[in-house]
Amino acid sequence: MTHQPDQQLDLLDFIPYTDGGRQGAPPPPPEVTQCRWCHHSEPNGLLLRNNHTPDSYRAIQTTWCIAMDLTLSHLIYWQRRIHDQDATPPSRRRPKHEEDPRQGMARSMERALVVWQHRRDELDAQLDALDIPRLHRTEEAPAVIEHVPTRQPPAVPIPEQRRHQPPAPSP
């Protein structure tokens, strides 16, 4: 290769070109997208690290990913709110516009059951140790899909529709 004074050198020209574009570099390792603690898959490694942090010190120490840890923390928070609400007289309770702690507990329990689905016995043991009542059945139950009824036409026609209908025949 000859170098021209007005031409910049391309360092990749000096690496043997053997595999169709990667310049001899080994292929990248396959991307891990499944959390090793809760076994949920994410679309890519970035979301896996953000949502589960499976290699963090805390995860290795507890064998729980951050998603499992957060759902358990939410259950503990709502249990404390329920306990505080039950112990506080109605005149000193928080304003009505805040969320009912029992609804928050139910929502957090649903999320915890999804995140902990492969380690349900450990979740139950943690809930028992913290005296948090389980709002779910102990046996495996299929997810319940709520049926939304189809919309029924009104019993009485809307006035605009009444004008466009032909008059009823008289007997």
Side-chain angles (χ1 to χ4, degrees), residues 146-159:
E146 192 174 309
H147 174 69
V148 178
T150 57
R151 186 173 177 204
Q152 299 293 327
V156 179
I158 300 173

Side-chain angles (χ1 to χ4, degrees), residues 2 32 48 54 56 65 77 121 133 139-140 150-151 166:
T2 59
V32 176
L48 178 71
S56 70
C65 68
Y77 168 78
D121 53 341
E139 73 275 357
E140 289 292 324
T150 57
R151 186 173 177 204

Side-chain angles (χ1 to χ4, degrees), residues 1-10 13:
M1 179 171 131
T2 59
H3 171 63
Q4 303 293 332
D6 60 339
Q7 182 183 12
Q8 183 173 356
L9 289 174
D10 185 6
D13 285 340

Side-chain angles (χ1 to χ4, degrees), residues 34-69:
Q34 185 178 33
C35 178
R36 67 183 189 177
W37 305 118
C38 70
H39 305 290
H40 283 267
S41 293
E42 293 288 345
N44 57 46
L46 176 66
L47 288 176
L48 178 71
R49 285 187 302 279
N50 286 345
N51 296 337
H52 299 270
T53 44
D55 297 328
S56 70
Y57 176 75
R58 172 88 171 133
I60 293 169
Q61 190 179 29
T62 61
T63 69
W64 299 343
C65 68
I66 195 71
M68 297 168 79
D69 202 19

